[in-house]
Amino acid sequence: MMPITGLALQSCAVALLLIFFDFANGDVSYSFPEEMRRGSVIGNIVKDLGLEASRLSARKARIDTDGSDKRYCDLNLRNGDLTAAGRIDREGLCGDKASCVLKQELMLENPLELHRISLHIQDINDNSPRFNKEFIHIDISESASKGARFPIEEAHDADIGKYSVQTYNLHSNDNFILGVGTNSVELVLNKELDREILKEISLLLTALDGGSPQRSGTVVIHITVLDANDNVPVFSQAVYKASLPENSPLGTVVLTVSAADADEGLNGDVTYDFGHISEDIKSMFTIDHKTGDIQLTTTVDFETASSFELRVTAKDGLGLTSYAKVIIDVTDVNDNAPVIYLKSLTNPVPENVSPGTEVGIINVQDRDSENNRQVRCSIQQNVPFKLVPSIKNYYSLVTTGQLDRELVSDYNITITATDEGSPPLSSSKTVQLSVADINDNPPVFEEQSYSAYVTENNKPGSTLCSVTARDPDWRQNGTVIYSLLPGEVNGAPVSSYLSVNGDTGVIHAVRSFDYEQFRSFKVHVMARDNGSPPLSSNVTVSVFISDVNDNSPQILYPAPEGNSFMTELVPKAAHGGSLVSKVIAVDADSGQNAWLSYHIVKSTDPGLFTIGLHSGEIRTQRDISESDIMKQNLIVAVKDNGQPSLSATCSMYLLISDNLAEVPELKDISYDEKNSKLTSYLIIALVSVSTFFLTFIIIILGVRFCRRRKPRLLFDGAVAIPSAYLPPNYADVDGTGTLRSAYNYDAYLTTGSRTSDFKFVTSYNDNTLPADQTLRKSPSDFADVFGDCDASPEVGTHFLLRNSCSSSCSHSATLFFCSFNRDYRTISYLCISFLDGYIVFVVHVQS
């Protein structure tokens, strides 16, 4: 093969390049020469089809092919140029065919369009003529007459038309001239041969094509002059044709060629062989040299090659040869099942798409021909999808109903394609399609309402109940978050009473509940998902508080505290059963916790008075006598019916007299000697406190001395509690390093001492007493500590020392100890304050 110069290629391209457009049915054809470089422009699809270049990318424009066919052109999405995808060899694609057409398809989506592109490949002179052999040997009898013709196998040029073999030139000689036959070139004997003069002749035969410049091929013809064999074999037909079904078994006899020779003996013995054929065809067929049977050696496929053209030769024993052509047409059988291609798929599909929405594009191809390639496509009936035929063998996969991910989240859609061959062939393809979740389901509570039961005085943070809501949506659309809806309970925000865990729905108490304040309340809990936009639902939670016996009876009459005690006059002439007075008490609890009973726990004369168990009425048990003591003291206990029972006591002072003038002055009233023991207790307490104070001062001085030598924090473990968080009854003594909690100090004056009063110091915290109440001690509690007190009290001796002592301390000091001595009429108290990191103790004695 001779190379083609650039100028010749350009001239050929200008001469052969013909572009034309066929707008019928959206088809377009291009004609261009073979062997174009990759990227060479074939044509512009945008101009030829009237498309918009700016929308090629958006519409996913692409060159599509049938099945495994090769793509021979590319599409430039920027400008719509159709370019060569690679080197195209017309001879390799179409062989000797006069017309070489390649089918391509332009595929566009949204909307779906299909344009057929026909590529006409024009031949260029890129192949030189070639003879089948480099040397041709011919035996010619000397008896051959002038004008005898001797066929020579013609040269083969892979090009077609004028680029194929056009002329032959025979090197000048005395015996032979060149003649042209039907299927071969002939040597014409121009001068009779004389074997005795010339035994062998060598001729040079040149074949020329019609290109510019011309390409040529040569063969050397070696002629041996023999004696008389003047007849060549003659085929029964110049052209043989046969039909061969594809997939025929190996060894199948396609046809038999036959040639006759009029000579006898060796000169008439004919042998058969293949002429000039390609190596690929030679590997598929074989010929019996004796019988001329052409057999199949490999399988043939109609989809690969639909016909074959062979050259066969018949040669007699002395070398005379004749030629014939064999054309084998391959017939199609239904041996290819349809192939399903998924061209486009929207996955996942939102569950709220409307019926009729296109979610995919399916292409079905069958490589067979005619009825064997007619395909029917179907889908199973149990899915909400169907196939809608579109262009050619394209189908649109569309929805037929509303999708619901909560019912079915994934679909396996089986598509079946069946051809119309006999027997029909079919294939299936499964398309997996997921449904994307949409936040279309609000959370739903498991119950329509919830009830929580809690006893009062519960610990803050205790669990009341749990609410649960379910959301069938997926991921964040199904993630439920719980919260309390704004509201008020007894005028306070609901968040100050309850809290809900946003993840688990567990409801906790924020504070301790008091049954006496309210017995039940309702709150609303909202369950909200994390979708966009979020969906929510509400539920009502009813909280019921049950009572516990946490309130002691409260005595309304006689008043338990005051500047003076209540005194009742009892006439001396009172008879047994007379109503003297009445104790009135109430209990803040409810039910049996509020059932009260009254008892006289101590009296001056046990047999003189009695009290109603449930009425609290004090009556005489007998008539009053002259021997009865004028001053009668009754200590009455009021108990509730709770478990355990709580009680309160009060003192009732009765004077048996008909005239107030008979009542002696309080200063003449004697008291029991046992009360004097309280003074001794007070002295011991004062000595103990003084000792503790002196020891503490020594420790402080030592710490102060050490601090000067090495600065450091003195009370690094103390925690200061702001006074704003403590009720008025509390004294803040935290930060000393010794007392780790807040204490409350109340002072009470003893009722039977003439010489001194003592302040009882009691500590408590929030777990034993609410912040808005004051610690109160009943007389019976005092009796347990100091013993019984039998002396009669004095009128006007009850008063509280705390306010007096506290007012004497500075506003930054804390009252630590308070004592009153009646005989000396002095008040002693100890104040503690903090100044510049030091603890300052101040002892006051006030007359």
Side-chain angles (χ1 to χ4, degrees), residues 756-822:
S756 65
D757 292 84
F758 183 73
K759 175 180 176 65
F760 294 96
V761 181
T762 308
S763 66
Y764 54 90
N765 52 36
D766 291 342
N767 294 330
T768 59
L769 186 67
D772 58 348
Q773 297 183 14
T774 307
L775 183 65
R776 302 183 183 278
K777 293 291 183 176
S778 65
S780 61
D781 296 332
F782 300 155
D784 294 337
V785 179
F786 297 99
D788 297 336
C789 181
D790 297 327
S792 299
E794 297 176 309
V795 177
T797 60
H798 280 278
F799 61 92
L800 184 65
L801 292 178
R802 182 184 58 170
N803 292 337
S804 177
C805 295
S806 298
S807 61
S808 300
C809 294
S810 64
H811 69 279
S812 61
T814 302
L815 178 64
F816 183 76
F817 180 81
C818 183
S819 175
F820 173 68
N821 190 303
R822 182 179 298 274

Side-chain angles (χ1 to χ4, degrees), residues 74-329:
D74 292 328
L75 178 63
N76 190 326
L77 297 180
R78 293 191 301 272
N79 53 26
D81 284 343
L82 192 67
T83 60
R87 173 182 172 271
I88 298 178
D89 184 10
R90 193 202 66 82
E91 289 75 23
L93 294 175
C94 301
D96 296 339
K97 293 180 181 179
S99 175
C100 184
V101 180
L102 301 178
K103 299 295 185 180
Q104 304 282 276
E105 292 178 348
L106 173 63
M107 180 73 181
L108 297 101
E109 297 183 13
N110 191 26
L112 179 63
E113 292 184 27
L114 181 66
H115 300 277
R116 291 184 291 272
I117 303 175
S118 298
L119 303 178
H120 296 264
I121 312 301
Q122 299 297 331
D123 187 29
I124 63 174
N125 192 22
D126 59 338
N127 292 283
S128 299
R130 296 183 62 184
F131 288 92
N132 188 36
K133 299 178 181 179
E134 294 181 0
F135 293 89
I136 297 177
H137 187 273
I138 300 176
D139 294 333
I140 301 177
S141 175
E142 64 177 353
S143 62
S145 59
K146 182 180 178 179
R149 293 177 175 271
F150 303 95
I152 302 297
E153 183 178 8
E154 60 185 356
H156 176 75
D157 194 333
D159 298 326
I160 62 173
K162 67 178 182 178
Y163 299 125
S164 63
V165 177
Q166 299 295 321
T167 60
Y168 292 88
N169 289 331
L170 182 64
H171 188 270
S172 177
N173 65 92
D174 296 332
N175 299 98
F176 294 91
I177 61 174
L178 191 62
V180 178
T182 303
N183 295 318
S184 63
V185 178
E186 296 179 335
L187 289 179
V188 180
L189 185 61
N190 189 41
K191 181 182 179 181
E192 294 180 352
L193 301 175
D194 188 355
R195 182 177 178 279
E196 285 71 22
I197 297 175
L198 185 62
K199 295 183 179 180
E200 296 180 349
I201 302 174
S202 293
L203 304 176
L204 179 64
L205 179 63
T206 302
L208 299 172
D209 61 18
S212 179
Q214 287 184 322
R215 289 176 176 265
S216 63
T218 61
V219 64
V220 176
I221 303 174
H222 183 77
I223 300 174
T224 301
V225 181
L226 302 175
D227 286 333
N229 182 24
D230 55 355
N231 291 290
V232 296
V234 178
F235 282 98
S236 60
Q237 301 177 38
V239 178
Y240 291 87
K241 292 184 178 180
S243 178
L244 177 65
E246 66 173 333
N247 299 328
S248 296
L250 304 183
T252 300
V253 177
V254 180
L255 59 83
T256 301
V257 296
S258 175
D261 194 322
D263 295 326
E264 295 180 355
L266 182 62
N267 296 330
D269 188 7
V270 180
T271 60
Y272 303 94
D273 201 352
F274 286 124
H276 181 78
I277 59 176
S278 66
E279 294 297 328
D280 292 338
I281 298 178
K282 189 178 293 186
S283 65
M284 299 177 65
F285 300 96
T286 183
I287 188 170
D288 192 301
H289 298 292
K290 295 296 184 181
T291 63
D293 293 339
I294 298 177
Q295 294 181 338
L296 184 67
T297 57
T298 60
T299 58
V300 291
D301 188 2
F302 174 83
E303 289 71 38
T304 302
S306 59
S307 66
F308 299 96
E309 185 176 313
L310 292 76
R311 295 295 185 104
V312 293
T313 63
K315 185 177 182 181
D316 60 19
L318 295 181
L320 294 180
T321 306
S322 60
Y323 299 90
K325 182 185 294 185
V326 177
I327 297 177
I328 302 175
D329 292 323

Side-chain angles (χ1 to χ4, degrees), residues 364-429:
V364 183
Q365 299 177 7
D366 195 318
R367 299 185 63 195
D368 295 321
S369 62
E370 298 180 354
N371 290 339
N372 294 333
R373 69 178 303 168
Q374 300 301 318
V375 179
R376 299 186 308 273
C377 202
S378 62
I379 196 172
Q380 73 262 36
Q381 300 301 319
N382 58 344
V383 294
F385 300 93
K386 68 177 181 179
L387 289 176
V388 178
S390 184
I391 304 172
K392 199 179 177 181
N393 291 328
Y394 284 87
Y395 296 83
S396 295
L397 181 64
V398 299
T399 60
T400 59
Q402 191 67 44
L403 304 180
D404 190 349
R405 192 206 65 83
E406 287 69 44
L407 296 179
V408 180
S409 60
D410 296 281
Y411 290 95
N412 290 325
I413 305 171
T414 301
I415 301 172
T416 303
T418 306
D419 61 26
E420 295 184 1
S422 180
L425 299 178
S426 63
S427 61
S428 299
K429 184 178 184 65

Side-chain angles (χ1 to χ4, degrees), residues 446-469:
E446 293 183 347
E447 300 181 16
Q448 294 183 352
S449 62
Y450 292 84
S451 298
Y453 299 89
V454 59
T455 58
E456 64 174 333
N457 301 329
N458 59 291
K459 291 183 178 180
S462 58
T463 300
L464 301 186
C465 67
S466 176
V467 296
T468 303

Side-chain angles (χ1 to χ4, degrees), residues 671 675-676 678-679 749-757 789 794 822:
Y671 61 94
N675 291 335
S676 63
L678 188 59
T679 303
L749 182 66
T750 56
T751 57
S753 174
R754 291 184 176 180
T755 58
S756 65
D757 292 84
C789 181
E794 297 176 309
R822 182 179 298 274

